[in-house]
Amino acid sequence: MSSWKSLLLRIGDKCPEYSSSSEFKDHIETCYGALRRELEHSSNDILPFLLQCAEQLPHKIPLYGTVVGLLNLEDEDFVKTIVENTQTSFQEALDSGNCDRIRILMRFLTVLMCSKVLQPASLVVVFETLLSSAATTVDEEKGNPSWQACADFYVTCILSCLPWGGAELMEQVPEEIERVMVGIEAYLSIRRHTSDSGLSFFEDDEPGGDLVEKDFLEDLWERIQVLSSNGWKVESVPRPHLSFEAQLVAGKSHEFGPISCPEQPDPPSTISAVAYGKQKHEAELKYPQRTRRLNIFPASKTEDLQPIDRFVVEEYLLDVLLFLNGCRKECASFMVGLPVPFRYEYLMAETIFSQLLLLPQPPFRPIYYTLVIMDLCKALPGAFPAVVAGAVRALFDKIADLDMECRTRLILWFSHHLSNFQFIWPWEEWAYVLDLPNWAPQRVFVQEVLEREVRLSYWDKIKQSIENAPALEELLPPKGGPNFKYSVEDGGERTEQHAISAEISNKVKGRQTAHEIISLIEENIYPAHGLEITLSVVVQTLLDIGSKSFTHLITVLERYGQVIAKICPDQDKQVMLIAEVSSYWKNNAQMTSIAIDRMMGYRLISNLAIVRWVFSPENIGQFHISDRPWEILRNAVSKTYNRITDLRKEISSLKKGVISAEEAASKAKAALEAAESKLTLVEGEPVLGENPARLKSLKTQAEKAKEEEVSIHDSLQAKEALLARALDENEVLFLSLYKNFSNVLVERLPDASRAGTLQALKSIHGDSMAVDLEESSTMEVDDENGRPKKSQPNGSKATNIYNVGEKEQWCLSTLGYVKAFSRQYASESNSTRPSFWLLVGISLLTP
């Protein structure tokens, strides 16, 4: 890498490139000097690389802005090109709805204004353009209020620029910026307050609580108001341009070209809640709220932070997570080295957990956040592990109120996290869960974490990890292996069914074909023993042969899947098949899930059969005490949904291919026609057409291009047919899913007069929790192990009683999963009208 590139990338970091100096002024002077020397020869390389650095390392934007300001003194034309390129990129981002690019480029423009590169009036024009578009969007007569998400995003971008340049704007163009602030206040008065009730982390967020009263934009506006009253002083935003102010004022301030906001879709032609809701959902998908705050720790942990500093540090952390998602170690390194003068470990933990648990889906796969947390624990061994431990304890204390989807993610993260640290955890603190009923969420949480740990290690290792709380062995999954009904190893009684199983096993091991096995079943086994015994013996035997490893299972299914398909051709028999798989692997939830998933992949089991089995009586009773049936259901729905997603991607790619093929065919045809119409001289006589060899080549090319066009068209039609079929299957799946949810809930939910909300449902049986959650939420986690100073390590029966009844907990858990499935697949259920309306009916039962 060129030295100037390295200096640009590492500016602001403690690194060898800057001789380990930590002074921003030294870094800027060094970087500027290197760029100035290279400007004459490498300006075409410097410009895009500089803009790329500013966009993808946005927490360093004040440093890049100051460097550009100094370059403006050296080469005004070069910097003018930077401004023009930024304007082009900004307009493209607006047109495409690239939220992250819009937000970051606006911050860059603000910093360029601070460095005297951009005229303040030009920045105000950008603000007013976005504000005008936002106001028009939410206007009932002129706009389309269902697209308020876009309008809110534009106003959020304006407000989020002010910590970086509010002081300069108030100093240089006070009347103009005051006009913008008045316009924002007017916008806030006409927009609709947004509610995140369906996306909140906890079910018990009270409507009167501070977090629910203000939505994200209203909260940001309040923080900006406090910042304004404090004279626009922000500790978390470096202001390196002030060190060069005497030089920068001599530079020429450039104008920013005009921009325009894209038009929003027209309002629905038919005014209805459904049409409005669909457009609102579409807008929220395109312009999502970036984060939702998860307040894990008491305010005392961040009370030294000004309100705006919390927002700025969150922006830094989210930007690093966004742009360095493929470089986990670099990500952790930048997260611990933000340009702020105060400690922020607690805020960093809250921000990461808020992204990990973000609903309906986290921005990146959960494994990414697992790796980042792990690397942060290693980068800050004296501070961050204790903070993470404190976060786990705080979330565990409120696990009964945590959203079911968040609960599942927390279980998966925590078990994986512990596997990277020798499974060390003070389990004795949670040993009291054994005194709780088996449906208590805290007990279920510990049980599921231990089960997931066994998957990541082995049973004896996990038993050893809980030696400080040996009684918790009761919550470990069974140690035994497969539950083979027809085993002869234990010297048990041998029946005719055992003999049949042994015969099938010998034939499989003798490499007999699936057709030969089917013949044996049809001629000898089925006529003599009937369907139930035949299915049980064949499935159990094949599973036992494939039980040694995942590879063995795949081999058996590939070679003898036809046997299973022959025995189980319809949904009723597939439900029996799933029951046999569950029985064989009753001691191993992971292998049950894997086997059923693979069978669905080979189309031996339908998704509808899985839904029916999950809602069978033996599984319904586990809904509130085990994740086992839910994991299988999640996999089935996810597999169906992913197939639709993959087909849509393939169709999108094929459509682009069709356009290219049509263009290629058109060009080849035009070239052939031009050659055929061209006059050439042959033996002194004019002849129509080029020489025969060239004409033959052009004809071949034209024919191939046409064949390619037809081939891609055929592929597109085939994929579109598959998509139509997949969508029909998806609609039937969701209808079946919600019909089953409706049936089991109607049977068990209490009368609406007794419980109209989830909180009321909790109180039917008694007090929700005797645990003093308020006290535990104000825990102190300052000691080296992150243990709470105010709570007893081992808990006690007297203070840890879960008084929600089993029936009520079953309803709470099942309703929680209804919400989780509905939220995750909202786009598909919206297109599935019958199931969507049924979902609406069920949703009325929840707050």
Side-chain angles (χ1 to χ4, degrees):
M1 182 183 292
S2 303
S3 60
W4 62 266
K5 283 188 177 182
S6 182
L7 288 170
L8 265 177
L9 271 177
R10 293 298 177 186
I11 193 170
D13 301 339
K14 290 182 180 179
C15 57
E17 285 85 348
Y18 288 98
S19 303
S20 300
S21 170
S22 59
E23 290 293 327
F24 286 161
K25 185 176 181 182
D26 295 340
H27 285 214
I28 290 169
E29 288 175 340
T30 303
C31 185
Y32 163 63
L35 292 177
R36 184 179 58 180
R37 289 190 295 272
E38 297 290 335
L39 205 55
E40 184 178 350
H41 309 289
S42 308
S43 61
N44 291 336
D45 295 327
I46 292 173
L47 193 148
F49 191 77
L50 176 56
L51 291 176
Q52 189 179 6
C53 286
E55 284 189 40
Q56 298 188 17
L57 296 172
H59 61 287
K60 298 183 181 184
I61 277 181
L63 306 180
Y64 293 127
T66 306
V67 169
V68 173
L70 293 173
L71 290 173
N72 192 37
L73 302 173
E74 187 74 21
D75 191 335
E76 289 181 0
D77 291 335
F78 174 76
V79 173
K80 182 181 179 182
T81 306
I82 288 179
V83 174
E84 290 171 350
N85 284 17
T86 304
Q87 190 269 341
T88 302
S89 298
F90 186 58
Q91 185 61 62
E92 289 174 355
L94 285 171
D95 293 338
S96 62
N98 187 331
C99 295
D100 292 310
R101 204 173 191 199
I102 293 169
R103 176 178 51 79
I104 288 166
L105 286 175
M106 285 186 67
R107 189 189 305 175
F108 185 52
L109 292 175
T110 304
V111 170
L112 290 181
M113 179 274 301
C114 294
S115 298
K116 313 300 180 185
V117 171
L118 189 69
Q119 293 180 4
S122 292
L123 184 61
V124 171
V125 170
V126 172
F127 289 172
E128 290 182 330
T129 302
L130 295 180
L131 184 56
S132 174
S133 174
T136 302
T137 297
V138 297
D139 188 283
E140 295 282 352
E141 296 179 359
K142 300 178 183 178
N144 184 358
S146 61
W147 276 76
Q148 181 180 306
C150 175
D152 281 357
F153 169 71
Y154 287 166
V155 176
T156 300
C157 285
I158 297 170
L159 292 176
S160 64
C161 288
L162 298 180
W164 279 266
E168 284 74 12
L169 287 168
M170 287 302 293
E171 179 185 339
Q172 298 176 45
V173 284
E175 294 181 3
E176 288 85 345
I177 196 61
E178 186 62 34
R179 187 171 66 235
V180 170
M181 300 293 276
V182 170
I184 292 174
E185 193 166 15
Y187 169 79
L188 289 169
S189 69
I190 61 173
R191 69 183 282 273
R192 293 186 181 185
H193 170 86
T194 60
S195 172
D196 292 335
S197 57
L199 301 171
S200 57
F201 299 108
F202 297 103
E203 299 286 1
D204 67 338
D205 285 343
E206 295 294 335
D210 185 56
L211 290 177
V212 180
E213 279 185 5
K214 297 189 293 290
D215 60 30
F216 186 82
L217 180 56
E218 293 162 351
D219 178 77
L220 178 56
W221 170 249
E222 186 176 287
R223 291 169 191 265
I224 294 297
Q225 294 289 90
V226 173
L227 174 63
S228 175
S229 64
N230 290 340
W232 300 97
K233 295 176 182 177
V234 190
E235 284 189 62
S236 51
V237 175
R239 299 166 65 77
H241 62 277
L242 296 179
S243 301
F244 301 91
E245 194 167 20
Q247 299 162 252
L248 294 174
V249 292
K252 177 185 177 182
S253 293
H254 303 272
E255 290 186 2
F256 193 70
I259 59 159
S260 60
C261 297
E263 294 290 329
Q264 304 306 334
D266 294 329
S269 54
T270 305
I271 300 176
S272 69
V274 175
Y276 177 89
K278 290 188 77 170
Q279 283 211 0
K280 181 173 180 287
H281 181 67
E282 183 184 344
E284 288 171 348
L285 287 177
K286 189 171 182 180
Y287 298 95
Q289 183 175 312
R290 197 174 187 209
T291 188
R292 289 177 178 83
R293 289 192 177 92
L294 176 60
N295 294 298
I296 300 175
F297 302 107
S300 60
K301 294 300 175 186
T302 55
E303 63 185 5
D304 293 335
L305 287 181
Q306 292 297 317
I308 198 62
D309 285 319
R310 175 174 183 127
F311 168 77
V312 171
V313 174
E314 284 173 344
E315 286 288 288
Y316 287 154
L317 294 168
L318 294 174
D319 286 339
V320 172
L321 285 168
L322 171 65
F323 289 108
L324 294 171
N325 66 82
C327 316
R328 42 177 276 214
K329 292 194 180 295
E330 283 287 312
C331 176
S333 175
F334 278 121
M335 289 184 84
V336 301
L338 297 180
V340 296
F342 46 79
R343 296 184 64 174
Y344 53 90
E345 290 91 349
Y346 291 96
L347 181 51
M348 183 158 61
E350 285 188 342
T351 303
I352 296 172
F353 277 106
S354 73
Q355 294 293 285
L356 172 65
L357 304 180
L358 187 67
L359 297 170
Q361 291 179 331
F364 302 101
R365 290 184 178 183
I367 183 65
Y368 171 50
Y369 303 102
T370 304
L371 295 173
V372 169
I373 292 172
M374 182 177 73
D375 288 334
L376 287 172
C377 286
K378 293 175 180 178
L380 298 170
F384 203 64
V387 174
V388 172
V392 172
R393 290 186 176 92
L395 290 170
F396 180 74
D397 284 343
K398 292 198 69 177
I399 201 73
D401 296 316
L402 191 63
D403 180 271
M404 292 303 297
E405 170 67 20
C406 295
R407 204 181 300 183
T408 301
R409 283 191 220 159
L410 187 64
I411 289 167
L412 295 175
W413 164 78
F414 188 47
S415 56
H416 193 178
H417 179 77
L418 291 181
S419 74
N420 286 289
F421 294 94
Q422 291 87 47
F423 297 99
I424 295 172
W425 181 256
W427 290 106
E428 65 274 12
E429 293 180 10
W430 292 350
Y432 69 83
V433 300
L434 291 170
D435 300 325
L436 303 177
N438 66 347
W439 61 84
Q442 288 188 334
R443 179 181 174 124
V444 174
F445 178 84
V446 173
Q447 169 188 298
E448 293 298 327
V449 168
L450 291 174
E451 196 275 330
R452 292 285 174 170
E453 284 189 341
V454 171
R455 296 190 189 192
L456 296 167
S457 182
Y458 53 96
W459 195 91
D460 291 320
K461 171 69 175 176
I462 304 308
K463 180 188 175 184
Q464 182 184 358
S465 74
I466 58 172
E467 60 185 4
N468 290 336
L472 286 178
E473 184 181 337
E474 179 184 333
L475 299 183
L476 284 174
K479 186 181 180 180
N483 177 42
F484 185 34
K485 292 180 183 178
Y486 308 105
S487 174
V488 293
E489 293 179 1
D490 55 5
E493 182 184 354
R494 288 176 62 91
T495 65
E496 188 177 353
Q497 295 164 21
H498 285 77
I500 295 170
S501 173
E503 182 182 0
I504 294 173
S505 180
N506 289 332
K507 289 185 179 295
V508 169
K509 291 174 182 177
R511 298 296 182 94
Q512 288 202 5
T513 65
H515 181 71
E516 290 172 316
I517 303 293
I518 290 171
S519 297
L520 171 68
I521 293 168
E522 290 180 336
E523 294 171 8
N524 300 332
I525 303 175
Y526 185 81
H529 300 279
L531 171 67
E532 193 169 335
I533 290 177
T534 301
L535 188 150
S536 176
V537 172
V538 172
V539 171
Q540 288 256 340
T541 304
L542 291 177
L543 286 173
D544 195 58
I545 295 169
S547 65
K548 290 183 179 179
S549 68
F550 178 70
T551 306
H552 281 76
L553 174 64
I554 296 302
T555 302
V556 167
L557 292 178
E558 286 180 348
R559 289 181 181 174
Y560 299 101
Q562 296 173 42
V563 177
I564 297 174
K566 189 71 177 178
I567 301 174
C568 307
D570 57 45
Q571 196 179 119
D572 290 337
K573 297 180 182 64
Q574 288 171 13
V575 173
M576 296 170 64
L577 167 60
I578 300 170
E580 286 298 330
V581 175
S582 178
S583 171
Y584 182 84
W585 286 115
K586 72 176 187 178
N587 297 325
N588 193 320
Q590 182 180 24
M591 283 307 300
T592 304
S593 175
I594 289 174
I596 292 173
D597 182 74
R598 288 296 83 206
M599 287 181 174
M600 182 180 170
Y602 287 115
R603 295 192 171 273
L604 303 176
I605 295 174
S606 71
N607 50 22
L608 293 177
I610 293 174
V611 171
R612 272 186 57 186
W613 177 79
V614 167
F615 285 92
S616 59
E618 62 269 24
N619 287 319
I620 291 173
Q622 297 185 55
F623 279 7
H624 58 314
I625 59 174
S626 173
D627 188 55
R628 186 171 180 144
W630 296 118
E631 179 184 8
I632 292 166
L633 184 60
R634 282 196 302 268
N635 288 346
V637 178
S638 175
K639 208 175 192 71
T640 305
Y641 179 77
N642 289 342
R643 184 160 178 263
I644 292 173
T645 303
D646 292 342
L647 283 170
R648 283 176 173 154
K649 289 179 181 176
E650 290 174 17
I651 287 171
S652 176
S653 177
L654 282 171
K655 284 180 176 177
K656 294 176 182 176
V658 165
I659 294 172
S660 300
E662 287 175 346
E663 290 176 354
S666 177
K667 288 179 181 178
K669 183 180 178 182
L672 177 60
E673 289 174 350
E676 288 175 338
S677 63
K678 189 175 180 182
L679 287 174
T680 57
L681 291 176
V682 178
E683 298 179 355
E685 294 293 327
V687 177
L688 194 63
E690 290 193 3
N691 66 73
R694 175 162 170 73
L695 277 176
K696 184 178 180 181
S697 173
L698 290 172
K699 281 181 181 178
T700 303
Q701 290 177 16
E703 288 170 359
K704 284 184 177 179
K706 188 63 180 176
E707 287 173 5
E708 180 70 16
E709 180 188 352
V710 172
S711 174
I712 295 178
H713 267 293
D714 290 345
S715 297
L716 178 61
Q717 289 176 355
K719 291 294 182 184
E720 286 176 338
L722 286 173
L723 177 61
R725 179 182 168 187
L727 288 171
D728 289 340
E729 291 177 357
N730 192 61
E731 183 168 342
V732 174
L733 172 64
F734 273 99
L735 182 58
S736 173
L737 177 62
Y738 288 120
K739 186 176 180 181
N740 277 284
F741 268 129
S742 178
N743 290 340
V744 297
L745 284 167
V746 166
E747 291 174 7
R748 292 165 178 78
L749 277 175
D751 187 355
S753 61
R754 296 176 64 207
T757 66
L758 292 182
Q759 284 300 105
L761 187 61
K762 289 182 181 181
S763 62
I764 286 180
H765 189 77
D767 295 333
S768 298
M769 292 279 286
V771 181
D772 190 350
L773 290 180
E774 183 176 351
E775 181 178 339
S776 63
S777 68
T778 58
M779 61 167 58
E780 299 294 333
V781 289
D782 285 338
D783 73 349
E784 62 181 3
N785 296 312
R787 289 194 177 89
K789 290 182 179 178
K790 291 186 178 182
S791 63
Q792 297 177 358
N794 296 307
S796 66
K797 294 181 183 179
T799 58
N800 293 284
I801 302 171
Y802 191 69
N803 279 338
V804 176
E806 182 170 11
K807 183 178 178 181
E808 288 74 25
Q809 185 59 52
W810 184 96
C811 293
L812 288 167
S813 298
T814 305
L815 283 170
Y817 282 110
V818 172
K819 181 188 283 189
F821 278 104
S822 307
R823 190 171 46 213
Q824 186 169 2
Y825 301 104
S827 298
E828 291 306 319
S829 60
N830 275 340
S831 64
T832 309
R833 284 175 290 185
S835 60
F836 176 68
W837 283 113
L838 188 56
L839 164 63
V840 171
I842 297 172
S843 299
L844 293 175
L845 298 168
T846 61

